[in-house]
Amino acid sequence: MVLSRYVGAKVRRKEDPRLITGKSTYVGDLHLAGMLHVAFVRSQYAHADIKNIDTSAAKDMPGVHEVIVGAEASAVVNPANAAGPGTSPGVEASTDISKFPLAIGRVRYVGEPIAAVVAETEIQARDAADAIMVDYDPLPAVTDMDQAIEEGAPQLYEDKPGNISASFEKQAGDIDAAFANAPVKVKARIRSQRLSGVSMETRGIVAAPDPLSGGLTVWQSTQAPHNNRAELAPALGISTSQLRVIAPEVGGGFGVKIGDYPEDFLIAGLARQLGRPVKWIETRSEHMATTHHGRDQIAYVEAAADSDGTIRGLKMNVLHAAGAYDRGSGIKNFTVLMSCGCYEVPAVDAKIDAVFTNTMAVSAYRGAGRPEAAYYIERVMDLIADETGMDPVEVRRKNFIPPEKFPYTTTVGERYDTGEYDKALTKALEISNYSELRKEQEEARKQGRYLGIGMASYVEICGFGPNESSQIRVDPGGAVRVFTGISPHGQGQETTFAQMAADRLGADFENIFVHHGDTGNTPIGRGTMGSRGLAVGGGAISMSLDKIYEKATRIAAHMLEASIDDIELEDGKYRVKGSPDQSVTLTEIADTAYDGDLPDGMDAGLESTDYFSPADETFPFGTHIALVEVDPDTGHVDLLKYFSVDDCGPRISPQLVEGQVHGGLAQGIAQALYEELHYDEGGQILSGSLMDYAIPKAHHLINFSTDETVTTTPINPMGSKGIGEAATIGSTPAVANAVIDALEPFGVNHMDVPMTPERVWQAIQDSQS
């Protein structure tokens, strides 16, 4: 019997000592002999033809080695051969023109790279870039999606009429019958604003020639080094075996560091052409303007229901911002696929169009299409509650998919694995003391105070395949080395996988080492995104551990001259059942595996390489409840209490789950109340620095009350789902619904996020005019 000493226990993160003492290495920390630096000249216009680029002054400046403009980059690297920047699960390959590192003839968004300067130092490169003069012929720009699809709007591409990049739709059930004579009908225009990932570390890359392979070694701040290698190698004209991609410590990703960007292709190509290491680190202003953005959708939603709140049908027409180059419109599909949420919706007519505008591309950002879907359906639930006079709790319960119907295929065709939605809702009602909150709200209104209670019951899709890898080796001496194809950057899998290995093999937790993020020593993997690290990566780890345990047990039986069936693992020792003195340790087994007497027919060594291919995705869920207070004189919103119940299946590392929930809540609440990337009509970014872009500070948030329910999934050996994005998905609609609930006495039944003081105050004024 294998007892769980570590799995499910709160243990200190193995990553923390080096991180909190500053001993880790990030891309920006790398300094190689002979290293050159790159600075980019970027467009000041959102839409313009490039008439001329004068580089003469820059070329004569001290330390400058190379100045490259436009099509000259094609002599350095050929991204047209690559799969395309940003390729990942649910993310489509780019429009061909978007793969080129530098704009050719025309720019389509502010910040688009036009020229690159290579110099001895970063300062010399920037000074020379400032000396380059670009002559533009400005063109009309469009930044608003509603305007972009209107007849006569500026067109970004001749072959994309109406500025529509791509579309995705699902129709199922009799939508006309659902709406015909329905006693309850609600509709709303719902905006999910544009956000920035604002990772603590910006993007960065160092590329250096590798004389051994004749290729390159590339260090990137990325979430998926193996994917990046697969994109970069063909663009450079080399094989993947000649390219080593390393993700050292990565200071935050949130989806925006999936895949290669145009700058990455050029830096790698320059290193190969010049035969010297080349480095580029993104500035914060570059990050805000040119690292892809998130969300940015407009949804026109209608729902039909019976008078008892039962949903009859859902219509949804969504515009999704593609930006100037469609680097990730595949994520839009999740908004349609998850449109039904936790509910039985018999008829659906949902369509989403990706719309070109003169803005930065929109792609994956923590949740990627699923937060938007949850926001829309949870607003619909509250609108139905308003229309019927029902409590929002009862509307949700009326429409939940019951547990006995799982696995459940939704009307739009998504197959949910398992779910107990009412269980999570009930737990949230209990820990929040919901009935008392309503009484408190009623008393406060008598005193002229405006409290609001909002909730959201969410379900999300995660754990994407097609597969993930693991290689585990027990060395002589008993040390365990785990090599994984995922690429953690804060998720804590060094700890989680060590917990799994310690329990399954009886290994010393402190003597387990997890390696990741290096294509030179890890098996080919898909990286970390879509809450797949444990659900898929852990599945591969579990396969390898099982095989090693089986072999270790056979060796132990041989050493102890016992039957394999009589061997048990107890307190870190492989022992004969009923004879605790007859035992061997993993260290002794490992020593024998490499240099000892083995059972007949057994090969030496104690290791296994495996790939786990999940049959489907997993669907974590939960319920969040928020209590806010609105000051009607200023529009200021105070978050008073927050309750989160999240079901991600069994928790291998409860402390890490708690951290993921807290981080997700911070980002989701921030979307509801603070954050937004603004463009003006001319395509200039108005909130392109941390002086203007309102990320939450510590005093904006409170102590959260978190809890769990546990519903296992059959999709992977651990029964675990995913938690990395869940709290972000549930928190935005919960807080938004709470603010709108606070404004109910003023007749406000909908407003858009972020619910800033100005916007809340204006909604109150408009309601009274």
Side-chain angles (χ1 to χ4, degrees), residues 73 287 344 569:
H287 175 84
E344 291 190 282
L569 177 59

Side-chain angles (χ1 to χ4, degrees), residues 379 630-637 736 739-769:
R379 284 297 304 124
V630 173
D631 183 340
D633 294 327
T634 65
H636 180 76
V637 177
V739 175
I740 294 170
D741 183 56
L743 299 179
E744 186 269 338
F746 299 98
V748 176
N749 67 358
H750 181 71
M751 61 178 296
D752 284 329
V753 292
M755 295 173 175
T756 60
E758 178 186 13
R759 192 169 285 173
V760 172
W761 181 86
Q762 191 61 57
I764 294 172
Q765 302 311 305
D766 292 345
S767 71
Q768 296 175 336
S769 61

Side-chain angles (χ1 to χ4, degrees), residues 275-296:
R276 291 177 62 174
V278 179
K279 180 178 185 178
W280 172 72
I281 302 295
E282 181 184 55
T283 67
R284 180 58 62 184
S285 58
E286 284 179 312
H287 175 84
M288 303 298 286
T290 66
T291 290
H292 73 239
H293 300 155
R295 311 288 190 261
D296 204 358

Side-chain angles (χ1 to χ4, degrees), residues 87-404:
T87 304
S88 65
V91 180
E92 298 168 353
S94 312
T95 306
D96 283 348
I97 193 172
S98 77
K99 299 177 186 177
F100 288 96
L102 302 175
I104 302 174
R106 178 172 291 185
V107 290
R108 291 176 172 84
Y109 68 96
V110 168
E112 183 168 3
I114 294 173
V117 176
V118 186
E120 288 287 336
T121 70
E122 182 180 354
I123 292 175
Q124 288 174 331
R126 290 188 182 182
D127 286 346
D130 289 341
I132 293 175
M133 305 302 294
V134 183
D135 183 14
Y136 300 92
D137 184 7
L139 299 170
V142 60
T143 60
D144 180 272
M145 286 186 284
D146 281 321
Q147 295 176 6
I149 61 175
E150 291 179 355
E151 187 175 349
Q155 298 295 295
L156 272 72
Y157 302 97
E158 293 181 0
D159 62 343
K160 296 291 183 179
N163 286 318
I164 300 298
S165 168
S167 299
F168 182 76
E169 56 187 312
K170 289 282 187 177
Q171 293 95 24
D174 192 339
I175 195 69
D176 292 333
F179 274 79
N181 302 316
V184 177
K185 294 180 183 179
V186 297
K187 65 179 180 180
R189 178 188 185 274
I190 308 175
R191 177 69 188 268
S192 184
Q193 78 273 31
R194 182 177 288 245
L195 302 175
S196 172
V198 200
S199 52
M200 188 176 294
E201 177 201 26
T202 58
R203 288 187 291 128
I205 177 172
V206 171
D210 178 7
L212 181 64
S213 69
L216 291 176
T217 298
V218 172
W219 293 263
Q220 282 181 289
S221 183
T222 179
Q223 299 175 221
H226 284 280
N227 287 1
N228 287 15
R229 182 179 69 163
E231 294 173 357
L232 283 173
L236 296 168
I238 60 178
S239 68
T240 53
S241 61
Q242 292 176 285
L243 180 61
R244 181 183 181 187
V245 176
I246 301 171
E249 299 293 358
V250 175
F254 309 119
V256 303
K257 291 181 180 176
I258 299 172
D260 291 301
Y261 283 77
E263 296 92 344
D264 299 316
F265 286 100
L266 186 60
I267 300 303
L270 286 168
R272 186 159 169 76
Q273 181 188 65
L274 299 174
R276 291 177 62 174
V278 179
K279 180 178 185 178
W280 172 72
I281 302 295
E282 181 184 55
T283 67
R284 180 58 62 184
S285 58
E286 284 179 312
H287 175 84
M288 303 298 286
T290 66
T291 290
H292 73 239
H293 300 155
R295 311 288 190 261
D296 204 358
Q297 292 184 354
I298 301 172
Y300 295 88
V301 180
E302 298 181 59
D306 292 326
S307 54
D308 65 355
T310 302
I311 298 178
R312 299 173 57 162
L314 176 69
K315 295 179 182 178
M316 193 166 70
N317 186 19
V318 184
L319 301 180
H320 171 89
Y325 300 109
D326 195 346
R327 294 193 178 121
S329 73
I331 64 171
K332 73 184 183 305
N333 300 356
F334 293 130
T335 301
V336 170
L337 293 173
M338 298 304 297
S339 58
C340 296
C342 307
Y343 311 108
E344 291 190 282
V345 184
V348 175
D349 183 358
K351 180 183 180 184
I352 188 164
D353 293 316
V355 181
F356 284 122
T357 57
N358 293 112
T359 59
M360 180 56 194
V362 170
S363 192
Y365 169 67
R366 201 166 189 171
R370 293 101 80 199
E372 297 90 321
Y375 180 37
Y376 305 149
I377 192 65
E378 289 306 297
R379 284 297 304 124
V380 165
M381 287 294 124
D382 270 28
L383 288 170
I384 291 173
D386 289 342
E387 191 69 19
T388 59
M390 297 174 63
D391 190 297
V393 172
E394 297 311 313
V395 174
R396 286 167 173 80
R397 279 183 164 155
K398 192 78 176 177
N399 292 285
F400 277 153
I401 303 163
E404 63 270 15

Side-chain angles (χ1 to χ4, degrees), residues 570-592:
E570 187 77 30
D571 294 329
K573 293 183 178 181
Y574 292 74
R575 68 185 191 185
V576 179
K577 294 176 183 176
S579 302
D581 292 337
Q582 288 184 271
S583 65
V584 290
T585 64
L586 182 65
T587 297
E588 294 170 312
I589 293 171
D591 289 342
T592 300

Side-chain angles (χ1 to χ4, degrees), residues 556-578:
H558 184 71
M559 294 172 68
L560 296 170
E561 298 181 346
S563 167
I564 295 174
D565 294 336
D566 289 336
I567 300 298
E568 64 179 2
L569 177 59
E570 187 77 30
D571 294 329
K573 293 183 178 181
Y574 292 74
R575 68 185 191 185
V576 179
K577 294 176 183 176

Side-chain angles (χ1 to χ4, degrees), residues 526-548:
R526 305 285 172 167
T528 296
M529 63 200 78
S531 301
R532 67 187 303 277
L534 177 62
V536 189
I541 297 294
S542 182
M543 291 173 67
S544 295
L545 290 173
D546 285 347
K547 291 180 181 179
I548 292 173

